[in-house]
Amino acid sequence: MPELPEVEVIRLGLVPRVQGRRLLGVTVGEKRLRQQSETMALQKWLPGRAILEIERRGKYLLFHLEGGVSLLIHLGMTGRLLLLPEPAPALLPVHLIFHLEGGLDLAFQDVRRFGQALVFPPGVEPAPLAQVGREPFSRQVTPQWLATQARGRSRPIKNFLMDGRILAGIGNIYASEILFAARLHPGTPVGRLTLADWTRVLKETRRILKAAIAKGGTTVSDYLNSQGETGLFQLELLVYGRDQEPCRCCGQTVARMAQGGRSTFFCPKCQQEK
DNA sequence: CACCCCACCTGCGTGC
DNA sequence: TGCACGCAGGTGGGGT
């Protein structure tokens, strides 16, 4: 579910309510997430430590705790981080509950269990973050840099945009939207894009991600922010999920195709192969 | 390397 | 109504 905007909206909701508070304890649910630290490790490193800072890297949330400990959270496809007044009402199965100072529970709930919750002792760099590419809003990302990354490569631009080791945080929904806005066919081999194309791709990436954050993210089925609210950006999607409907720009029927096992939505007229 | 495909999970909508 | 199938915002491991 959550791509960069959704994770950022969750972060923005947590910062004023959670940052500075102490973690009192952790309750571990029955079923483990695909990547979850051993209960012993969670119990050893988390209780008693204040949350100093909450950082986002790509689709990961990194909680910096007192004493150099860090807690890495990834929401996978269906993960939610819900802030609840204690005692947490009996929701659907919850995988982890972080009990916070001041009568708050932070519940991690994830039906499909593709999520991650990993603790790292002081001085240990969270391994998954080594794979995370550059932030789309970073000054380190320029059209020239993107062109360099793409040079000599043949993979489709859609797959390139979704490769989190290059640009972090873009998933299946926003990749389709970005390519529609940039008027590029999703199958275009990246090595074939011009600097002008990359300039457009970057501009549209930033514009769309920013707008999605401002609208509270996109809810297509499961996504809720930390307050349990849906996003609103689904109302502004121009191609994603609009298979067989008229293009908002030209009226042509929006098409769907499979790329890397995922659905891509695009307008065959607005986004022609070059 | 670069690239592709599949596994990992559960739930929901569709069509027979 | 019941069941099989396809599909869903993720990453990463293994094969070509």
Side-chain angles (χ1 to χ4, degrees):
Chain A
M1 125 194 113
E3 305 184 30
L4 184 153
E6 291 73 37
V7 177
E8 181 64 12
V9 169
I10 289 172
R11 192 187 73 83
L12 291 171
L14 292 179
V15 165
R17 298 169 175 93
V18 163
Q19 205 160 275
R21 277 189 214 244
R22 197 169 299 280
L23 253 164
L24 299 180
V26 191
T27 301
V28 179
E30 302 269 290
K31 294 186 168 184
R32 286 169 59 89
L33 302 166
R34 189 146 90 108
Q35 302 270 12
Q36 179 178 315
S37 290
E38 296 296 334
T39 303
M40 294 269 291
L42 294 169
Q43 300 296 4
K44 173 175 180 184
W45 293 108
L46 300 182
R49 294 178 195 271
I51 297 168
L52 302 180
E53 203 191 330
I54 308 173
E55 190 191 351
R56 182 190 56 73
R57 296 213 209 155
K59 299 169 192 166
Y60 286 93
L61 282 177
L62 184 60
F63 292 72
H64 296 273
L65 309 182
E66 248 176 343
V69 172
S70 49
L71 170 66
L72 186 69
I73 298 280
H74 192 291
L75 298 172
M77 294 274 253
T78 52
R80 291 172 176 168
L81 266 186
L82 297 169
L83 210 43
L84 308 158
E86 230 174 352
L91 313 144
L92 313 168
V94 166
H95 298 89
L96 292 167
I97 303 175
F98 304 102
H99 305 287
L100 306 174
E101 186 176 45
L104 274 182
D105 274 355
L106 182 60
F108 188 159
Q109 171 187 308
D110 181 6
V111 258
R112 288 177 75 181
R113 293 189 280 133
F114 290 169
Q116 306 179 32
L118 300 167
V119 272
F120 297 89
V124 180
E125 188 60 22
L129 295 183
Q131 303 301 312
V132 177
R134 296 194 181 178
E135 288 295 323
F137 294 109
S138 156
R139 275 173 306 184
Q140 304 265 63
V141 174
T142 62
Q144 289 76 11
W145 179 76
L146 290 167
T148 305
Q149 295 303 304
R151 187 168 305 146
R153 301 201 181 180
S154 60
R155 62 206 296 220
I157 175 68
K158 163 84 164 4
N159 299 22
F160 178 92
L161 280 183
M162 286 181 63
D163 187 338
R165 292 165 305 183
I166 303 168
L167 264 187
I170 300 172
N172 204 41
I173 293 178
Y174 296 108
S176 281
E177 294 297 312
I178 290 163
L179 292 173
F180 175 74
R183 302 180 74 84
L184 284 170
H185 190 283
T188 312
V190 273
R192 203 181 291 172
L193 298 206
T194 64
L195 203 53
D197 291 328
W198 287 116
T199 303
R200 247 173 24 255
V201 166
L202 183 55
K203 191 176 132 226
E204 298 302 339
T205 296
R206 288 175 170 164
R207 182 181 65 76
I208 288 171
L209 296 180
K210 206 173 287 181
I213 293 168
K215 289 284 176 177
T218 300
T219 299
V220 295
S221 60
D222 300 288
Y223 171 71
L224 297 177
N225 68 20
S226 60
Q227 312 306 301
E229 303 154 338
T230 68
L232 288 173
F233 196 72
Q234 64 277 12
L235 303 173
E236 325 231 335
L237 297 176
L238 298 181
V239 282
Y240 182 85
R242 299 195 61 252
D243 183 20
Q244 305 287 66
E245 292 174 42
C247 170
R248 301 255 192 236
C249 182
C250 74
Q252 171 82 255
T253 306
V254 172
R256 170 158 85 158
M257 69 175 177
Q259 286 184 291
R262 321 292 302 275
S263 287
T264 303
F265 300 86
F266 67 107
C267 171
K269 190 169 166 198
C270 295
Q271 298 168 264
Q272 305 209 1
E273 290 245 35
K274 291 191 292 192

